[in-house]
């Protein structure tokens, strides 16, 4: 039977039959079939090859090596993903055919396939690599030392790892790459890799010094801790001698300072053994100590301090130098470490020169709690000659602000000037398609209406035409997105036709306030305002939008809104309802504008005057509400309007009414745009916080991300109620560090505002911490950051309100908060009796909770 495409496919799944067919066919006929084979394979999609049953990939690969004349053409076929991946290409038959043809380019084919195999994120499959390996061996070609090749080499080593390494032809080229390429530790069997390498060193197959240097170098360059574990095991199995450690002392010193904790601990023990054997230069020890004493792992730090004390006892002439190094521990975040460092210096104080004592006393200004006073007693000249020479300097905390210290309200920057030309509008319009910023939306809407009202629609069409054409999929069609409504609004202004989607908005239901589905989050107000432009432009165009803010936080000057309403009266046009109501929610109440507003005669003007004279939107009643699920407790907030006889504003009714389900919901993140939502309610942050509170809670209890709304709410105006306090506490307890940074930014912003907030935040922190709703160590880290930024007063006020609630329950993580409280109390010189503190401090024992309670009581008692 002659060779053909059908003859090959009918033998799919039977490699022996295809091999027999190919070997029985003369070379001339096989080469003549090569072009057809190549064309057939190129015409097939990967899905065709993968979905066929039985899958023809292996027999097509055999046909390729049997019929094609060059490595390039063979690689085109064999390199196809679904030809080579599964089921695997039979290597014995593949080589049998190649040998029968006496091909001299198998090594070249192997190199070409090596570039394709394992190119994806998962690396090569063992069967794929086996073919490449066989081709490279057959062709006598040195392999490319790539990540995928080394991964394949490791994955195909036999279970007897030492024998597999010993017998591998690639050991000398691939093993060094295991140490050099990042992430290779994830491929290594534990502890088999370390045992195999040590065995080959014992046999003389590998050089011990080379392997030890490569192991230390891998640890120095770092990687994920789990990926470094096989190398740590190898180092431990090598058990370097004192001589080997001394020869590499500087490398070990770097490991102590920067490597992950297990590696640093191993290096610390190795160097200490070299030191005890008299083989370590003290300068290397001191250089390493400057790094170790700033590490967060207290066990490493304590071991280093103990080591330094032993060296000082052994070499008293270097006591001053060693004490200066120990004093670095004064700046550590942990009060335990600060105390240990001070105790260590206390053991050396009798041998210190006056200059060193003075310098260390000055450095003691970095200590917290009651430690500065101890340092003064320990180090001042009184202990030797008389009255103290100096007292520790306590650096001022920049930006520490008593709550309510600033009068007045900070104002945000002014909005950029409006666009005057269609080309400017088109540029911002395009930017908005790619990045929907709140400021961008307001400027585009304002310019569309203003430029459209001037009648130069041809110029607008010419400027926006390319954008509308290029992004038709986003700006047209069916869907409730802001961009689709924007497309309809633009076409309404250009063509005078109402769009299909905006026409489907049930405005009567919106105005009646009974369609909650249209405003399920405050930032939906912007979507409805865009739809309002699209729907109302044709019947009742307006020259300007009332709600365009005057400042980038969304606020609107009362005088500017009065002028816009006066213009509407003078020109005889009626403002659109949602645009008008959004303007009221944004307006900054200014009593000086009331007389001007009272001169307005339209119904909207009179309503605006009353709005200003009564103080604007009255804050709704925000009520703490607990949700309970099978494995989750959340505290959120409900909203009830402050008045039942108001002006009947749609947005007031919709946004000031919120009733949560008794069970918490699970989500993968928030469903709002932070900047846009904050601009809807720049005067009522408590309302915005209540609506978005589940998203803030998810930062702490579902490890979700993005607390970027919180700093915007901190910069907004309005009282701080339970919703805002809860939002801040949840963000302080967020899983991810960037979100805690956002919480600290918000905390610092609130510290500079006149509204009191610390007691409310502290009360919520205490309740959530007591009930185990949040993880207190995360909060402690965030509040420590705020303390270092200078907010000692609000940090202490927050903790002073929170701790009495938590102390009786002693929840997990409470010692971390007590440590921060000790620092903050010491910074503000607090003197008070904190309820519940003495009961813990008087307990017997030396647990960390008891130690921290005693420290705080000592500071508060003066």
């Amino acid at each position: 039977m002659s060779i053909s495409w059908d003859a090959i496919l009918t033998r799919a799944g039977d490699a022996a039959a295809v091999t027999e067919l190919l070997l029985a066919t003369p070379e001339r006929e096989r080469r003549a079939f090569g072009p057809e084979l190549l064309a057939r394979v190129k015409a097939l999609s990967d899905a065709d090859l993968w979905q066929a049953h039985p899958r023809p990939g292996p027999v097509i690969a055999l046909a390729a090596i049997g019929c094609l004349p060059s490595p390039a053409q063979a690689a085109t076929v064999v390199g196809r993903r679904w030809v080579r991946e599964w089921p695997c290409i039979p290597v014995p038959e593949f080589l049998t055919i190649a040998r029968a043809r006496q091909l001299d380019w198998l090594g070249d084919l192997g190199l070409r396939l090596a570039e394709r195999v394992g190119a994806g994120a998962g690396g090569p499959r063992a069967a794929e690599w086996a073919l490449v390996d066989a081709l490279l061996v057959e062709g006598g070609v040195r392999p490319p030392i790539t990540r995928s090749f080394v991964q394949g080499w490791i994955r195909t080593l036999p279970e007897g790892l030492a024998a597999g390494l010993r017998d591998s032809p690639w050991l000398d080229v691939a093993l060094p790459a295991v140490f050099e390429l990042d992430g290779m530790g994830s491929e290594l069997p534990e502890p088999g890799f370390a045992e195999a390498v040590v065995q080959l060193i014992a046999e003389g197959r590998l050089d011990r010094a080379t392997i030890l240097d490569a192991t230390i170098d891998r640890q120095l360059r770092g990687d994920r801790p789990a990926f470094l574990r096989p190398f740590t095991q190898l180092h431990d199995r090598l058990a370097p001698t004192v001589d080997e450690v001394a020869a590499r002392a500087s490398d070990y010193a770097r490991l102590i300072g920067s490597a992950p904790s297990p590696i640093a601990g191993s290096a610390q023990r190795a160097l200490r053994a070299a030191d005890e054997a008299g083989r370590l230069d003290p300068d290397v020890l001191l250089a390493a100590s400057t790094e170790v004493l700033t590490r967060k792992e207290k066990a490493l730090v304590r071991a280093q301090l103990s080591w330094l004390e032993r060296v000082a006892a052994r070499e008293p002439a270097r006591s001053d130098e060693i004490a200066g190094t120990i004093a670095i521990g004064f700046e550590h975040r942990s009060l335990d470490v600060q105390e240990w460092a001070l105790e260590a210096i206390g053991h050396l104080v009798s041998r210190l020169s006056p200059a060193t004592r003075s310098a260390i006393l000055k450095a003691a200004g970095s200590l917290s709690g009651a430690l500065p006073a101890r340092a003064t007693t320990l180090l001042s000249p009184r202990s030797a000659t008389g009255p103290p020479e100096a007292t520790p300097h306590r650096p001022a905390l920049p930006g520490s602000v008593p709550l309510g210290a600033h009068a007045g309200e900070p104002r945000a920057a002014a909005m950029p000037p409006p666009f005057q030309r269609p080309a400017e509008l088109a540029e911002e319009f395009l930017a908005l398609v790619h990045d929907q910023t709140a400021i961008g939306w307001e400027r585009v809407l304002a310019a569309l209406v203003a430029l459209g009202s001037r009648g130069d629609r041809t110029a607008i069409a010419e400027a926006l035409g390319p954008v509308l054409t290029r992004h038709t999929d986003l700006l047209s069609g069916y869907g409730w997105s802001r961009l689709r409504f924007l497309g309809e609004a633009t076409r309404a202004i250009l063509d005078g036709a109402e769009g299909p989607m905006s026409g489907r908005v049930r405005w009567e239901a919106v105005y009646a306030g009974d369609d909650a589905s249209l405003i399920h989050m405050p930032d939906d107000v912007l979507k409805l305002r865009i739809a309002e432009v699209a729907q109302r432009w044709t019947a009742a165009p307006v020259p300007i939008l009332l709600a365009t803010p005057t400042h980038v936080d969304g606020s609107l000057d009362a005088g500017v809104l009065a002028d816009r309403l006066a213009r509407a009266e003078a020109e005889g046009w009626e403002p659109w309802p949602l645009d008008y109501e959004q303007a009221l929610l944004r307006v900054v109440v200014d009593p000086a504008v009331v007389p001007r507003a009272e001169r307005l005669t339209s119904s909207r003007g009179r309503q605006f005057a009353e709005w200003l004279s009564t103080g604007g939107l009255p804050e709704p009643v925000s009520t703490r509400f607990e949700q309970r699920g099978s494995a989750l407790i959340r505290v959120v907030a409900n909203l009830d309007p402050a008045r039942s006889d108001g002006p009947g504003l749609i947005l007031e009714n919709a946004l000031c009414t919120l009733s949560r389900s008794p069970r918490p919901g699970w989500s993968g993140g928030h469903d709002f745009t932070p900047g846009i939502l904050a601009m809807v309610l720049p005067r009522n942050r408590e309302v915005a916080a209540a609506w978005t509170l589940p998203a803030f809670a998810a930062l702490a209890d579902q490890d979700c991300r993005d607390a970027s709304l919180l700093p915007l709410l901190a910069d907004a105006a309005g009282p701080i109620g339970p919703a805002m306090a809860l939002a801040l506490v949840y963000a302080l307890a967020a899983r991810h560090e960037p979100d805690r940074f956002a919480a600290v930014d918000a905390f610092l912003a609130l510290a500079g505002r006149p509204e009191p907030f610390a007691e409310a935040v502290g009360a919520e922190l205490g309740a959530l911490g007591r009930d185990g709703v949040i993880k207190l160590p995360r909060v402690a880290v965030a509040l420590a950051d705020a303390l270092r930024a200078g907010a000692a007063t609000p940090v202490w006020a927050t903790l002073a309100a929170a701790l009495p609630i938590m102390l009786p329950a002693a929840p997990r993580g409470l010692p971390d908060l007590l440590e921060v409280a000790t620092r903050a109390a010491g910074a503000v010189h607090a003197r008070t009796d904190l309820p519940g503190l003495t009961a813990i401090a008087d307990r017997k024992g030396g647990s960390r909770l008891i130690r921290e309670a005693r420290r705080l009581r000592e500071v508060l008692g003066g």
Side-chain angles (χ1 to χ4, degrees), residues 37-401:
L37 172 66
L38 200 60
R40 293 271 193 174
V41 172
K42 287 182 177 179
L44 288 173
S45 68
D46 285 343
D48 293 332
L49 292 171
W50 181 248
Q51 294 171 4
H53 183 76
R55 297 188 179 113
V59 295
I60 289 175
L62 295 178
I65 197 63
C67 301
L68 296 177
S70 70
Q73 292 183 0
T76 300
V77 176
V78 181
R80 290 284 295 271
R81 180 182 176 190
W82 302 120
V83 171
R84 70 174 191 264
E85 280 196 355
W86 184 260
C88 60
I89 297 171
V91 175
E93 288 83 352
F94 195 92
L95 292 180
T96 296
I97 297 169
R99 290 166 182 162
R101 292 187 68 194
Q102 298 182 352
L103 300 178
D104 60 0
W105 42 259
L106 290 184
D108 191 346
L109 176 60
L111 292 174
R112 292 172 185 269
L113 293 179
E115 295 178 358
R116 304 190 185 195
V117 169
R125 297 172 183 260
E128 293 180 277
W129 190 91
L131 176 62
V132 174
D133 177 48
L135 291 174
L136 294 173
V137 172
E138 188 77 12
V141 177
R142 187 181 189 275
I145 305 304
T146 62
R147 173 178 300 277
S148 61
F149 184 89
V150 178
Q151 285 177 316
W153 179 69
I154 297 171
R155 292 174 184 181
T156 55
L157 288 172
E159 291 187 7
L161 192 58
L165 288 173
R166 183 190 309 109
D167 298 338
S168 172
W170 314 127
L171 176 64
D172 294 328
V173 294
L175 185 61
V178 171
F179 293 86
E180 294 165 3
L181 296 174
D182 292 344
M184 280 301 138
S186 63
E187 304 286 343
L188 300 176
E190 301 178 34
F193 173 74
E195 294 171 351
V197 171
V198 170
Q199 181 176 334
L200 292 184
I201 291 173
E203 295 173 1
R205 179 63 180 84
L206 296 175
D207 179 68
R208 176 182 173 87
T210 300
I211 295 298
L212 179 58
D213 287 339
T215 303
I216 295 174
D217 183 64
R218 175 68 271 172
Q219 293 176 325
L220 281 171
R221 284 186 287 114
D223 210 332
R224 294 184 182 180
F227 296 173
L228 290 174
R229 190 163 52 240
F231 303 103
T232 304
Q233 294 170 350
L234 176 56
H235 180 272
D236 292 344
R237 287 298 306 274
L238 289 171
T241 66
V242 169
D243 290 338
E244 288 173 325
V245 172
R248 299 164 177 83
S250 59
D251 289 338
Y252 279 99
R254 289 169 57 198
L255 288 176
I256 298 178
S258 61
S261 185
I263 297 175
S266 175
Q268 187 182 55
R269 291 188 294 273
L271 272 186
R272 187 161 183 173
D275 176 58
E276 291 173 352
R279 299 296 309 279
L280 183 66
D281 184 344
D283 290 336
V284 174
L285 168 61
L286 295 177
S289 298
T290 60
E291 300 293 333
V292 178
L293 295 181
T294 61
R295 292 188 63 128
K296 65 180 180 180
E297 301 95 336
K298 292 193 287 186
L300 283 174
V301 176
R302 187 159 199 173
Q304 198 74 13
L305 290 171
S306 172
W307 184 5
L308 288 169
E309 284 190 68
R310 289 175 64 89
V311 173
R314 189 180 69 217
E315 301 186 37
R318 304 196 70 155
S319 294
D320 286 339
E321 190 177 4
I322 293 172
T325 301
I326 291 175
I328 294 172
F330 290 176
E331 299 181 4
H332 201 278
R333 295 186 177 188
S334 168
L335 287 178
D336 279 338
V337 172
Q338 291 186 8
E339 188 169 19
W340 295 337
L342 187 59
E343 290 175 354
I345 288 176
H347 298 156
L348 309 179
V349 69
S350 62
R351 299 198 296 269
L352 300 183
S353 67
T356 299
R357 290 159 64 105
S358 178
I360 294 177
L361 187 59
K362 184 176 181 180
S366 301
L367 295 170
S368 301
L371 295 179
R374 293 190 202 172
T376 300
T377 302
L378 179 68
L379 294 163
S380 66
R382 177 195 300 263
S383 59
T385 60
E389 175 185 294
T391 57
H393 170 66
R394 183 181 299 276
L397 292 172
S400 293
V401 184

Side-chain angles (χ1 to χ4, degrees), residues 654-731:
L655 297 178
C656 294
T657 303
L658 178 63
S659 180
R660 293 292 183 190
S661 164
R663 295 183 63 83
W666 292 86
S667 66
H670 59 68
D671 56 350
F672 56 84
T673 307
I676 293 173
L677 189 145
M679 264 201 179
V680 174
L681 295 157
R683 321 300 307 157
N684 304 90
R685 58 181 157 206
E686 179 70 9
V687 178
W691 278 91
T692 56
L693 202 47
F696 285 113
L699 299 174
D701 60 35
Q702 294 185 46
D703 295 349
C704 292
R705 296 176 182 268
D706 193 1
S708 58
L709 174 63
L710 191 61
L712 301 178
L713 297 184
D715 289 335
I720 295 175
M724 186 64 189
L726 285 165
L728 184 53
V729 173
Y730 281 131

Side-chain angles (χ1 to χ4, degrees), residues 555-644:
S555 59
L556 174 58
D557 282 343
V560 172
L561 181 54
D563 292 341
R564 292 173 182 173
L565 287 169
R567 176 180 174 181
E569 292 182 4
E571 297 176 357
W573 50 271
E574 181 73 13
W576 295 336
L578 288 180
D579 179 44
Y580 169 72
E581 292 192 16
Q582 174 66 96
L584 291 185
L585 292 181
R586 287 176 167 170
V587 72
V588 180
V589 174
D590 184 356
V593 182
V594 173
R596 290 169 55 191
E598 290 176 341
R599 292 195 289 270
L600 298 171
T601 59
S602 65
S603 60
R604 300 292 194 199
R606 292 193 300 272
Q607 190 177 52
F608 171 57
E610 183 180 358
W611 185 271
L612 289 183
S613 63
T614 57
L617 176 68
E619 282 291 325
V621 179
S622 180
T623 308
R624 203 172 181 274
F625 181 74
E626 186 174 290
Q627 297 176 312
R628 286 186 174 269
S630 58
L632 178 65
I633 299 175
R634 263 190 191 167
V635 181
V636 290
N638 289 332
L639 295 174
D640 294 294
R643 56 189 177 187
S644 57

